[in-house]
Amino acid sequence: MPDPDLIDGDVYVSPRYLAGSTATGDPALEPLLALGWDLRHDDLANVFVTAPDRKIRLGYLPEGDDDGLWRITAYADAFAQPHWGVCFNDTCPTEFVTAFTTALAQAYTDGPDAYLARPNPKDLEQSEFTAVAPLINRGWKLSPHLRWGVLNLQAPDGMAGLEYTAGHIDPEAELTTLEARWHLWGGPTKGPRWYATASSHTPVRLVTAITTSVSDPAPLPRWKDTMATYLRNSAHLTPVTPPPPPVPTPLDVQRTTTRRPPSLGTRSVPRWSTTTTPLPPTGPTTRPGPRR
């Protein structure tokens, strides 16, 4: 079991897509900073991280123009339009962003053929179904609210979903609105929902990192008092440190001392023996004679 003192939270939240954000970006930035990516920030505390070849850029924008807290774009040419773009909003669990940046760091290490790879239905590793499979394997089902040209999956409790849109999508709209090829969301109907979007040419391995993390059955640690009320009321919370056993009352102590276990008595138990015990010798039987 993990040491409770090292866990950043006092409760485990399940399902994890109801955990909410941790309100810190450090864990998601770490995989990229470990590769030596350039880190800068502006006067508003927005953070910008750029790959050494300038072809991947990440913005952590707590003071941005909208709720898009995380915006990541990749470029085939550093001065061209983005090849793909991914966005996570400000209520998205940080662990989902960390799963993405961890996969992105590996893809960048593998080279442009990995981080610029387009989806390809003829290649199993690049097929869009690869990104959908983790959800299906963990019990997500087709939504009853179907739309033409949209694959709509929902979690068993209906509080998280994925929309994959087929056909043509405006490339500009994909980078600036929710009208993207991939759209993941989560949260109860009452309250703001988190979302993550990925545009058409986002490598399948990066999308798969998100869907795998979102559908992971393992709970996430959170501080109960910092969670939004609507999430606390919808999620299952388990204490990180189990409560101690109740202190016995004086009556419990009295019952324990007065109820003594019965003592084991001793008794003779006959035993069978294979040894024959000799009988004592006997003489001839005589009757006494008459007295004189």
Side-chain angles (χ1 to χ4, degrees):
M1 293 290 292
D3 186 346
D5 294 335
L6 301 179
I7 298 174
D8 190 13
D10 57 2
V11 293
Y12 287 116
V13 182
S14 179
R16 56 173 38 207
Y17 46 74
L18 297 180
S21 174
T22 61
T24 177
D26 293 346
L29 295 174
E30 181 56 33
L32 305 179
L33 298 180
L35 296 181
W37 289 29
D38 181 56
L39 171 67
R40 300 177 184 273
H41 58 82
D42 61 17
D43 296 337
L44 299 176
N46 295 313
V47 175
F48 305 92
V49 177
T50 308
D53 64 0
R54 323 303 292 180
K55 291 184 178 180
I56 303 181
R57 303 166 194 172
L58 177 148
Y60 175 67
L61 311 171
E63 299 299 328
D65 296 331
D66 54 29
D67 65 347
L69 180 61
W70 299 88
R71 293 190 180 276
I72 306 97
T73 49
Y75 304 79
D77 184 290
F79 299 98
Q81 293 295 317
H83 183 72
W84 57 258
V86 169
C87 177
F88 301 88
N89 78 332
D90 53 4
T91 57
C92 183
T94 311
E95 289 82 357
F96 302 165
V97 188
T98 303
F100 173 83
T101 56
T102 300
L104 178 60
Q106 183 58 58
Y108 185 78
T109 301
D110 295 341
D113 289 342
Y115 68 78
L116 295 176
R118 295 191 178 195
N120 180 2
K122 297 181 180 179
D123 183 346
L124 182 60
E125 293 185 357
Q126 301 299 333
S127 169
E128 291 90 340
F129 180 78
T130 301
V132 176
L135 305 178
I136 296 176
N137 292 338
R138 289 168 174 167
W140 289 40
K141 305 293 185 181
L142 286 173
S143 168
H145 308 292
L146 300 179
R147 288 192 296 152
W148 179 259
V150 178
L151 173 65
N152 192 335
L153 294 175
Q154 285 193 9
D157 61 6
M159 287 191 282
L162 164 74
E163 294 180 359
Y164 172 81
T165 303
H168 174 74
I169 302 178
D170 180 5
E172 183 66 24
E174 285 198 274
L175 300 175
T176 56
T177 72
L178 296 181
E179 300 298 322
R181 184 72 63 191
W182 302 91
H183 178 204
L184 276 151
W185 59 268
T189 54
K190 295 182 179 180
R193 289 177 168 177
W194 65 263
Y195 69 79
T197 62
S199 67
S200 296
H201 301 321
T202 306
V204 168
R205 66 190 289 186
L206 303 184
V207 180
T208 303
I210 306 173
T211 59
T212 300
S213 182
V214 169
S215 60
D216 191 334
L220 296 178
R222 290 292 186 271
W223 297 101
K224 181 178 179 180
D225 290 343
T226 65
M227 292 181 63
T229 302
Y230 74 100
L231 292 177
R232 291 202 307 265
N233 293 340
S234 301
H236 178 70
L237 307 182
T238 305
V240 168
T241 303
V247 178
T249 66
L251 181 59
D252 294 331
V253 175
Q254 181 180 0
R255 288 172 176 170
T256 302
T257 55
T258 56
R259 290 184 179 179
R260 299 184 180 278
S263 59
L264 294 178
T266 58
R267 60 178 179 172
S268 176
V269 179
R271 298 175 181 271
W272 291 103
S273 173
T274 57
T275 305
T276 302
T277 302
L279 296 175
T282 58
T285 301
T286 58
R287 299 181 64 180
R291 300 179 64 181
R292 296 184 182 188

